[in-house]
Amino acid sequence: MRIEQLGDGIPEVAVVGSIHGDEPCGRDGIEAVLADPPEVERPVKFIIANEAALDADQRYLDTDLNRSFPGDADSESHETRLAAALAAELQDCTVLSLHSTQSYEGMFALVDDLTSEMERLCSALSVDAVVQTKGANEGRLFATVDSVVEVECGYQGSAEAAENAEQVIREFLAATGVTAEPPLQRDTELPVFQLGEPIPKSAAEQYEVFVRNFEHVPEGDPVAAADDETVVAEEPFHPVLLSAHGYEDVFGFTADRIGMLD
């Protein structure tokens, strides 16, 4: 992994990009900030995580890095070793982790638990929603590092995702006091969701989705289809990370809307 730093001293703030090699927006956003660096009031480190997978243009080489934490420095798996090294770099840091999806063109945040710190940070980012993942974090960065906000920056490989990544990095630096820029002041409320169960996807030749992420789905409505097999909502929910081809064995996840941030 590549590590760069702005400012002197030991950083307590970090930005991580490209945990997945098929999500170059994190790398691109970091490189854009480093090419036009802001003046900093406190040190910050930038980490481009899975360089080998980026070079191979693959999501991962051996195992999904964001399912490999806390990692093992002695493992034969590239990502399992990398997870241990990355976790060590991020201990005691407030972290922004940048991702992208095949399911949503805008930006949304994911947090383990919506603490007062996470409320403050998420409210200062240009995201459309916040998803609390508590209870579904096995192997993820959330399970190892205490203060993490992940942001999905848009569609994988798109120029818009790279631009969004740079924007949200600069907003995060302002929100954490790394720069003297005033934090973003929202003029709309921010919906909050609790991540629920995965929506299974059977093996098929063709997949479709019939609903939109974060929009309410009533009980009994068709959600998605694998060939001629239609998945129907067994109870009302809001879809999160729902797409036809984003995951091998699930369409995405159910979620409950649990509140709003002012």
Side-chain angles (χ1 to χ4, degrees):
M1 59 185 170
R2 173 185 164 195
I3 304 172
E4 303 282 353
Q5 180 170 326
L6 294 177
D8 298 326
I10 299 174
E12 295 179 340
V13 178
V15 177
V16 179
S18 299
I19 278 180
H20 295 126
D22 60 353
E23 298 178 10
C25 67
R27 173 200 61 199
D28 296 343
I30 287 172
E31 289 183 342
V33 171
L34 292 175
D36 184 18
E39 293 187 9
V40 298
E41 306 286 313
R42 58 189 297 210
V44 56
K45 69 172 71 174
F46 299 87
I47 302 176
I48 299 173
N50 202 340
E51 291 183 291
L54 276 168
D55 290 343
D57 193 24
Q58 297 179 10
R59 187 167 182 81
Y60 52 82
L61 300 187
D62 298 317
T63 55
D64 187 332
L65 177 54
N66 210 24
R67 299 297 183 273
S68 299
F69 293 98
D72 180 352
D74 297 320
S75 173
E76 294 183 359
S77 162
H78 163 70
E79 276 82 11
T80 306
R81 294 193 306 273
L82 183 56
L86 182 56
E89 283 290 336
L90 297 177
Q91 287 303 315
D92 302 320
C93 285
T94 299
V95 179
L96 170 66
S97 181
L98 301 159
H99 294 262
S100 54
T101 78
Q102 295 188 33
S103 62
Y104 191 73
E105 64 181 349
M107 289 198 289
F108 64 95
L110 300 99
V111 299
D112 168 34
D113 190 9
L114 196 58
T115 62
S116 57
E117 178 190 22
M118 290 297 107
E119 286 187 6
R120 181 182 62 81
L121 286 177
C122 290
S123 296
L125 305 177
S126 296
V127 295
D128 299 329
V130 178
V131 178
Q132 183 174 263
T133 63
K134 192 171 185 176
N137 287 330
E138 184 176 357
R140 298 181 65 172
L141 183 60
F142 290 133
T144 303
V145 180
D146 290 335
S147 297
V148 180
V149 55
E150 292 185 352
V151 173
E152 300 285 356
C153 296
Y155 288 133
Q156 288 180 3
S158 68
E160 291 79 10
E163 292 169 2
N164 287 343
E166 179 185 0
Q167 175 182 330
V168 81
I169 291 170
R170 294 186 186 277
E171 291 171 348
F172 176 75
L173 298 184
T176 51
V178 171
T179 64
E181 293 295 320
L184 174 72
Q185 298 295 315
R186 302 185 64 89
D187 56 7
T188 58
E189 291 184 315
L190 189 59
V192 180
F193 300 84
Q194 171 59 50
L195 192 69
E197 297 299 320
I199 302 169
K201 181 171 72 172
S202 302
E205 294 184 359
Q206 184 174 351
Y207 299 104
E208 294 180 89
V209 296
F210 308 128
V211 296
R212 294 173 60 86
N213 283 285
F214 301 113
E215 294 187 4
H216 180 260
V217 179
E219 179 180 353
D221 274 17
V223 176
D227 289 341
D228 296 329
E229 180 183 347
T230 300
V231 178
V232 176
E234 297 181 356
E235 57 186 24
F237 74 97
H238 291 77
V240 171
L241 291 166
L242 187 78
S243 67
H245 302 288
Y247 300 97
E248 289 185 10
D249 55 357
V250 300
F251 282 105
F253 299 86
T254 65
D256 293 322
R257 184 163 167 167
I258 59 174
M260 302 284 285
L261 291 182
D262 292 337

